[in-house]
Amino acid sequence: MKRVSIVTLSALMLLGLLTSFNQKAVAQEAPKAVNVIYMIGDGMSLPQVYAAMLASNEPMTFSQFPYIGVVDTHSSSNDITDSAASGTALASDHKTKNGMVGMNPDTIPVKTVLEALSEQGKETGIVVTSYVTHATPAAFYAKVPKRSQYENIAVQMAENPYINLIIGGGMKHFIQRKDSINLVERMEKELGWKVYDTLADIDYSCKKYAVMANSDHMPKAAQRGDFLPRAVETALRTLDDAENGFFLMVEGSQIDMACHANDSTWMMDEMLDFDNAVKVALDYAKEHDNTLVVVTADHETGGLTLPDPKSKYSDVTFHYSTGSHTCLPVLVYAYGPGAEQFTGWMQNSDMKAKIMKACGFENFGDGLPEYDGPNIPAIRINHDSKPE
Ligand SMILES: [Zn+2]
């Protein structure tokens, strides 16, 4: 009898072990992303990436990611998107009209991946080298029919309960306003922010802060040094102890500006700077294997081609066919849990669902989130103006 019990016990223990192995095996098959770092090179398609690889004589950090796909960037109104419509598509599930931020073509506000993941308990951050109110970052938190409504976007940022940290330029939209409101003062006194004008002063115990390190966009890469990689480091250091993980959006904002200017030296500097920021993110992801890194772009700028390319920088010929955007698709590069979804040909409006799925959320809703944070007024939607 005793022997039977021991045999039964042993069998049960073995079964338990096998079950736990099985569960482990299942968990290993589909690990969930706890942290997401979503990196956007504004205006960066394959020509910009390959030009930078020729220039540095090295692959880009992200070109070595294990999963690569193609992203169709057209907006709901045009084959050639602007950064507002593509930012909205990359942030939400919706293609919209050029010029519109955080709204569908009928001016109905849409929920972004930052807002949806914040609702799931993740901390969130945004790091850019443009104004913090520029089209791409704004597409993650603001809802306006015209991207040029910077002062309105600044108010929506200040009042947004979903952002934990935001770093970039554009202080003028907060303190040199037509309505004479000192929005920085309001942010600090009424809305729970700490506002800094340099990365150096940050109090890491602070759970909601904005760094606006320039009145305008940040200076060009050659002048601003390693601001972007340092800002990503700063953000990761802040978000690292987030209990339920984090969502961080990073934009290499000025690749686009350089390509609008058809300025190859500036473009190259911006590309290598953006790749240095990706390297910071990848180093973090290698240490934290629950971190998904997705690198993509909103559109191509400049119609860049590389006729007669040679192996040395000085021999590369750059040819720009326009000072505007083109409809050339861009690529997406992914590393970490859920990265395998980012292959094949996809739409820019597919990204949110893929990121949410990587984090284990599939039916996450699509409408405007409810703004029920204590003492935080609802985001103001400006319905007065028509889309551009
Ligand atoms: Zn853009």
Side-chain angles (χ1 to χ4, degrees):
M1 190 67 182
K2 201 178 173 190
R3 216 172 110 211
V4 172
S5 292
I6 288 166
V7 170
T8 310
L9 193 63
S10 305
L12 279 173
M13 281 172 72
L14 185 64
L15 188 67
L17 263 176
L18 283 173
T19 309
S20 95
F21 278 137
N22 276 344
Q23 280 168 350
K24 215 172 175 184
V26 169
Q28 277 169 355
E29 272 168 33
K32 300 277 182 280
V34 174
N35 308 315
V36 179
I37 308 174
Y38 192 19
M39 310 188 75
I40 299 171
D42 199 315
M44 179 187 82
S45 186
L46 192 53
Q48 286 77 12
V49 174
Y50 198 64
M53 285 165 64
L54 288 171
S56 60
N57 208 18
E58 278 180 14
M60 294 285 98
T61 302
F62 55 86
S63 68
Q64 301 169 86
F65 282 10
Y67 297 97
I68 298 180
V70 182
V71 186
D72 193 329
T73 68
H74 73 270
S75 71
S76 75
S77 58
N78 299 75
D79 287 333
I80 300 175
T81 188
D82 84 315
S83 293
S86 56
T88 300
L90 289 172
S92 73
D93 288 326
H94 297 271
K95 286 189 185 271
T96 192
K97 292 178 186 168
N98 283 4
M100 292 174 67
V101 173
M103 291 181 159
N104 75 7
D106 300 320
T107 69
I108 306 297
V110 291
K111 187 189 288 187
T112 71
V113 64
L114 179 147
E115 292 162 336
L117 287 176
S118 175
E119 283 185 324
Q120 298 296 337
K122 296 196 189 297
E123 294 188 13
T124 69
I126 293 175
V127 173
V128 299
T129 57
S130 61
Y131 310 140
V132 292
T133 47
H134 209 227
T136 308
F140 284 79
Y141 63 80
K143 327 283 172 188
V144 290
K146 286 185 187 175
R147 60 181 288 176
S148 56
Q149 294 171 309
Y150 289 118
E151 295 192 0
N152 195 311
I153 292 169
V155 172
Q156 293 190 11
M157 189 197 99
E159 294 181 350
N160 193 299
Y162 295 96
I163 305 169
N164 292 98
L165 68 92
I166 186 161
I167 302 174
M171 183 72 100
K172 65 183 180 185
H173 299 136
F174 295 77
I175 56 173
Q176 293 159 19
R177 299 169 54 85
K178 289 194 193 84
D179 60 13
S180 304
I181 290 172
N182 184 331
L183 201 49
V184 167
E185 202 175 285
R186 230 195 107 208
M187 286 168 77
E188 293 206 310
K189 284 192 177 151
E190 298 169 33
L191 298 167
W193 294 83
K194 288 276 279 179
V195 181
Y196 302 99
D197 58 10
T198 167
L199 284 173
D201 294 343
I202 289 171
D203 168 7
Y204 285 93
S205 67
C206 174
K207 280 294 169 192
K208 193 173 177 74
Y209 66 78
V211 181
M212 288 175 275
N214 205 22
S215 174
D216 213 302
H217 297 303
M218 293 303 295
K220 294 178 180 180
Q223 282 88 53
R224 70 173 184 267
D226 62 352
F227 174 83
L228 182 62
R230 270 196 303 126
V232 174
E233 265 170 26
T234 302
L236 290 173
R237 187 171 157 192
T238 307
L239 297 169
D240 185 50
D241 61 358
E243 210 173 309
N244 298 306
F246 62 80
F247 171 84
L248 175 65
M249 192 286 276
V250 178
E251 186 193 34
S253 317
Q254 299 197 22
I255 301 163
D256 173 69
M257 298 175 194
C259 289
H260 275 295
N262 290 184
D263 183 332
S264 299
T265 306
W266 183 11
M267 183 266 286
M268 219 65 80
D269 289 346
E270 295 296 341
M271 279 298 306
L272 298 177
D273 179 59
F274 179 63
D275 195 52
N276 285 337
V278 175
K279 193 168 183 307
V280 173
L282 181 63
D283 286 348
Y284 184 89
K286 282 181 173 166
E287 279 173 28
H288 304 80
D289 62 6
N290 55 6
T291 303
L292 169 67
V293 184
V294 177
V295 177
T296 190
D298 54 352
H299 53 77
E300 197 273 346
T301 305
L304 178 62
T305 54
L306 308 171
D308 193 23
K310 303 262 171 59
S311 61
K312 288 183 184 163
Y313 183 15
S314 57
D315 295 330
V316 175
T317 308
F318 297 96
H319 178 77
Y320 297 89
S321 58
T322 177
S324 304
H325 300 177
T326 71
C327 62
L328 190 67
V330 297
L331 298 186
V332 57
Y333 314 77
Y335 175 96
E340 68 285 348
Q341 298 176 92
F342 295 87
T343 57
W345 186 288
M346 67 199 85
Q347 295 299 323
N348 50 5
S349 49
D350 294 337
M351 298 293 175
K352 176 187 168 190
K354 289 178 190 290
I355 290 171
M356 294 301 290
K357 191 175 172 193
C359 295
F361 306 115
E362 292 201 47
N363 297 306
F364 43 84
D366 196 31
L368 180 68
E370 285 180 27
Y371 293 88
D372 55 359
N375 304 320
I376 297 174
I379 280 182
R380 289 179 202 158
I381 310 292
N382 188 342
H383 287 293
D384 300 340
S385 46
K386 297 266 183 317
E388 275 168 348

